[in-house]
């Protein structure tokens, strides 16, 4: 018999230890948006629920916003940067193919030689990253994982495109994931996730970088384009089923939930999902989109942070979170608020 491979000690459970967020300082109202598109404040409010959004200034980069959110999450968790073993950054707007935003963030944060990588799962990116982090902690691969959802979507949004200009926005949210104690109940439930590449064209970058830089039309930013209505219908109906599966996988019922924080894509999608889930009135529903816009991978942690700040969510509450978007991709799980 040859030598046996040793495995690291694993943890029974994982949980979110700390939560932090960063919102860019510049508030952009609908009045500013409608200067560039044939639309109105009333249309944007009634069709999307967005009253204003935040757009990053020159100094509010993917890395700087992440560092600000991560610093708050670490302080909340009571964890020092050098205790972080892995940094996972979910983003589709770090405009460097390589190196990853995660390595720069780990370095600038003082996370020493932590493993670091970015993931591209659009608006489901945070929930994908959280699932990976939970599994890493439970398997013993890492003791503490920093998960960041961050976007500077204003870089990839054409202000003259009426199908996207009013919806996308910027910001960052972060959590620290670590092991539960021997008597602690699980803090992160099983993920229900998937993808549907047959709907690739519904939300995508208009052009690849080579075509954008060297194509016949001359250099231009490869902005995001979206066929909003098919995505709206898919999200409104199919995502409620995924949310139901996530609640069932966690072994609880809708009545056990305290908080529902779906990806902040459109207030009408949130309302449609809440109706289908038949959430009891006692469940607080995230409505961060009204003043934050749709921040893709950042939207779920930003929404959770707002609810904690407002007192709508408190430590120990059970929250159903779900992300969905370009790909199409989706991921949902039940978590306990730190
Ligand atoms: O985060 C990643 C995932 N993304 C999403 O989940 C976004 C999902 N989609 C949506 O949120 C919605 O589809 C939008 C808010 C983007 C659009 O709302 P909609 O109710 O699906 O509008 P629509 O595209 O079906 O268009 C309805 C009408 C059309 O006019 P007619 O044909 O009825 O006369 C559009 O031309 O609204 C018109 N329209 C607009 N009017 C004013 C479309 N965009 C605009 C606009 N301002 N910006």
């Amino acid at each position: 018999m040859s030598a046996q491979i040793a495995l690291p000690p694993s943890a029974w459970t994982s949980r979110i230890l700390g939560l932090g967020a960063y919102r860019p300082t510049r508030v952009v109202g609908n009045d500013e948006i409608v200067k560039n598109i044939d639309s109105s404040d009333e249309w944007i409010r009634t069709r999307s629920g967005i009253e204003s959004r935040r757009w990053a200034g020159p100094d509010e980069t993917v890395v700087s916003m992440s560092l600000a959110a991560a610093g708050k999450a670490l302080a909340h968790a009571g964890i020092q940067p050098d205790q972080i073993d892995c940094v996972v950054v979910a983003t589709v707007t770090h405009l460097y193919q390589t190196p990853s935003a995660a390595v720069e963030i780990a370095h600038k944060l003082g996370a020493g030689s932590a493993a670091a990588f970015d993931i591209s799962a659009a608006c489901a990116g945070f929930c994908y990253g959280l699932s990976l982090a939970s599994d890493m902690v439970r398997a013993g691969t890492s003791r503490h994982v920093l998960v960041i959802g961050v976007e500077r979507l204003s870089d990839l949004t054409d202000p003259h495109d009426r199908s996207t200009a009013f919806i996308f926005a910027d910001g960052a949210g972060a959590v620290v994931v670590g092991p539960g104690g021997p008597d602690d109940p699980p803090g992160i439930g099983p993920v229900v996730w998937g993808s549907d590449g047959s709907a690739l064209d519904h939300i995508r970058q208009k052009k690849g970088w080579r075509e954008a830089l060297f194509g016949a039309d001359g250099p231009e930013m490869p902005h995001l384009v979206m066929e909003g209505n098919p995505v709206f219908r898919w999200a409104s109906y199919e995502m409620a089923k995924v949310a139901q599966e996530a609640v069932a996988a966690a072994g609880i019922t809708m009545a056990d939930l305290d908080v529902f924080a779906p990806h902040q894509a459109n207030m009408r999608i949130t309302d449609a999902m809440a109706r289908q889930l038949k959430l009891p009135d006692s469940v607080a529903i995230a409505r961060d989109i009204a003043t934050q816009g749709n921040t893709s991978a950042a939207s779920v942690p930003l929404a959770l942070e707002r609810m904690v700040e407002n007192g709508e969510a408190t430590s120990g509450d059970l929250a159903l979170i779900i992300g969905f978007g370009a790909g199409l991709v989706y991921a949902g799980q039940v978590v306990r608020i730190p």
Side-chain angles (χ1 to χ4, degrees):
M1 178 94 156
S2 60
Q4 297 291 300
I5 295 172
L7 290 175
S10 51
W12 283 111
T13 64
S14 61
R15 59 195 177 121
I16 299 175
L17 303 175
L19 169 69
Y22 179 80
R23 298 172 199 273
T25 48
R26 190 161 99 82
V27 176
V28 178
N30 292 340
D31 52 341
E32 184 175 336
I33 299 291
V34 300
K35 284 181 187 153
N36 293 315
I37 55 172
D38 177 13
S39 188
S40 66
D41 173 49
E42 209 244 326
W43 190 94
I44 296 171
R45 280 173 194 259
T46 49
R47 292 289 179 138
S48 70
I50 300 172
E51 296 160 18
S52 62
R53 75 284 292 137
R54 302 286 184 114
W55 280 358
D59 296 335
E60 292 171 314
T61 65
V62 161
V63 169
S64 76
M65 292 192 290
S66 297
L67 286 168
K72 290 179 189 164
L74 285 164
H76 184 199
I79 294 288
Q80 297 303 313
D82 63 3
Q83 291 176 267
I84 295 292
D85 303 309
C86 183
V87 177
V88 180
V89 177
T91 185
V92 291
T93 48
H94 184 55
L95 301 183
Y96 290 81
Q97 202 80 41
T98 195
S100 66
V103 286
E104 190 175 342
I105 292 162
H107 173 67
K108 290 186 170 158
L109 202 60
S113 56
F117 59 95
D118 294 355
I119 55 173
S120 173
C123 310
F126 176 77
C127 294
Y128 266 63
L130 185 64
S131 170
L132 294 180
S134 174
D135 289 351
M136 278 190 244
V137 167
R138 292 182 60 217
T141 316
S142 294
R143 187 164 171 80
H144 295 116
V145 182
L146 176 64
V147 182
I148 300 169
V150 56
E151 302 291 3
R152 239 180 90 107
L153 282 158
S154 55
D155 281 339
L156 286 182
T157 303
D158 178 354
H160 300 282
D161 180 348
R162 78 202 286 249
S163 59
T164 55
F166 64 95
I167 205 161
F168 293 131
D170 307 333
V175 292
V176 177
V177 177
D183 301 323
D184 289 331
I188 302 174
V191 70
V192 176
W193 57 357
S195 71
D196 176 8
S198 71
L200 215 57
D201 283 345
H202 286 346
I203 315 173
R204 61 185 165 81
Q205 214 172 287
K206 187 173 156 194
K207 294 178 175 178
W209 284 105
R210 182 185 294 276
E211 202 192 337
L213 289 170
F214 306 114
D217 299 337
E220 61 169 346
M221 278 303 276
H223 290 127
L224 297 172
V225 288
M226 178 168 76
E227 294 161 25
N229 199 261
V231 181
F232 179 86
R233 282 184 277 119
W234 168 78
S236 297
Y237 298 104
E238 299 305 318
M239 290 305 98
K241 295 178 200 161
V242 174
Q244 265 156 351
E245 284 176 42
V247 168
I252 62 169
T253 68
M254 296 297 163
D256 297 317
L257 289 173
D258 303 294
V259 169
F260 176 48
H263 166 47
Q264 301 291 287
N266 182 320
M267 196 76 87
R268 288 158 57 216
I269 295 176
T270 299
D271 288 337
M273 289 175 74
R275 269 196 307 276
Q276 289 166 81
L277 294 175
K278 299 188 174 62
L279 294 175
D281 291 345
S282 56
V283 177
I285 299 175
R287 302 205 175 274
D288 195 35
I289 190 167
T291 54
Q292 183 64 46
N294 176 337
T295 55
S296 190
S299 92
V300 167
L302 277 168
L304 288 175
E305 189 259 2
R306 173 91 71 195
M307 296 179 89
V308 171
E309 285 295 304
N310 289 348
E312 293 169 287
T314 48
S315 180
D317 279 356
L318 279 180
L320 168 61
I321 60 174
I322 178 167
F324 47 86
L328 300 168
V329 290
Y330 57 87
Q333 60 262 83
V334 173
V335 301
R336 209 171 274 281
I337 303 281

